[in-house]
Amino acid sequence: TTVFEDEFRQNRKGSDMLPVLLESHNPINIVVLMLGTNDCKSYYHASAEVIGKGIEKLIEQICNYSQSVKILLVSPILLGQEVWKTEFDPELKAVYERIAKKQNIEFLAASDYAKPSKEDQEHMSVEGHRRLAEAVIEKIKNSALSA
C-alpha cells in the first residue's frame, strides 16, 4: 500500500519502506513508482483521491531524499470486474496523472499496456508484465528521465 497498514500482512506500508529502499539502493537516478492497487482493498474505504494523497506522500519522500532523482509515476492496471467496481479504477489513473502534472514528474498508465490475468482478475499475466516493462523502458528512453 502507499500509506495504509495491512492488519494481515505486516511491513507492507510503502511510506515506511520507501526511505530504507532509497538509502539502500544509493545512488539512484530514476525511481519508477507504481503503488495503489492494494490501497483499493475494501477495508481501507479509500477513494481515488485518498490513494492519490498517499502517492503524493511517497513522491515527497523521494524528493526529500534527493532533488536530482527523476520520477516516473505509473498508475496501476485496471482490476477485473470480479475484483472491484469498474467505475473506480479509471479514477485512479486520472488522479495519478493530475498528481504527476502538479509535481512536474513523468507519468505512465499501466492500464494502457496491461490488463489483469484471467486467472485471478487482479495480477498481470506474463504478457502484461512484458508489455508494461517495454512501455516503461520506452518512456524512460524518450522523456526527460533519460536526460
Side-chain angles (χ1 to χ4, degrees):
T1 67
T2 55
V3 296
F4 300 109
E5 199 66 63
D6 189 323
E7 295 177 20
F8 304 105
R9 299 174 75 198
Q10 292 184 333
N11 303 314
R12 303 289 177 160
K13 188 164 97 174
S15 60
D16 285 348
M17 296 178 65
L18 183 58
V20 175
L21 292 170
L22 291 170
E23 185 177 332
S24 67
H25 289 78
N26 191 40
I28 299 172
N29 298 320
I30 300 171
V31 173
V32 178
L33 182 60
M34 183 179 171
L35 285 177
T37 303
N38 288 328
D39 295 33
C40 296
K41 290 179 180 179
S42 60
Y43 60 84
Y44 294 130
H45 304 288
S47 68
E49 292 297 324
V50 169
I51 295 168
K53 288 178 191 278
I55 211 72
E56 284 187 290
K57 179 174 182 172
L58 300 179
I59 293 167
E60 181 181 321
Q61 287 178 317
I62 295 166
C63 292
N64 287 340
Y65 167 76
S66 171
Q67 291 294 319
S68 64
V69 171
K70 296 173 183 172
I71 302 169
L72 171 59
L73 178 61
V74 181
S75 61
I77 64 169
L78 298 176
L79 298 176
Q81 293 180 14
E82 300 298 316
V83 176
W84 194 243
K85 301 175 194 171
T86 56
E87 70 268 14
F88 183 89
D89 297 317
E91 291 181 29
L92 203 50
K93 176 182 172 181
V95 168
Y96 277 33
E97 186 171 22
R98 188 181 72 245
I99 290 168
K101 285 179 182 169
K102 181 174 107 178
Q103 297 286 339
N104 197 30
I105 61 175
E106 296 292 328
F107 171 75
L108 180 78
S111 59
D112 290 347
Y113 301 94
K115 300 195 179 328
S117 69
K118 291 179 181 166
E119 290 78 23
D120 70 4
Q121 294 287 300
E122 183 178 1
H123 296 95
M124 287 182 274
S125 64
V126 171
E127 175 65 15
H129 277 281
R130 184 190 61 73
R131 290 186 66 203
L132 179 57
E134 289 172 352
V136 168
I137 290 167
E138 197 65 26
K139 182 72 170 185
I140 289 170
K141 284 182 183 176
N142 297 313
S143 70
L145 294 166
S146 65

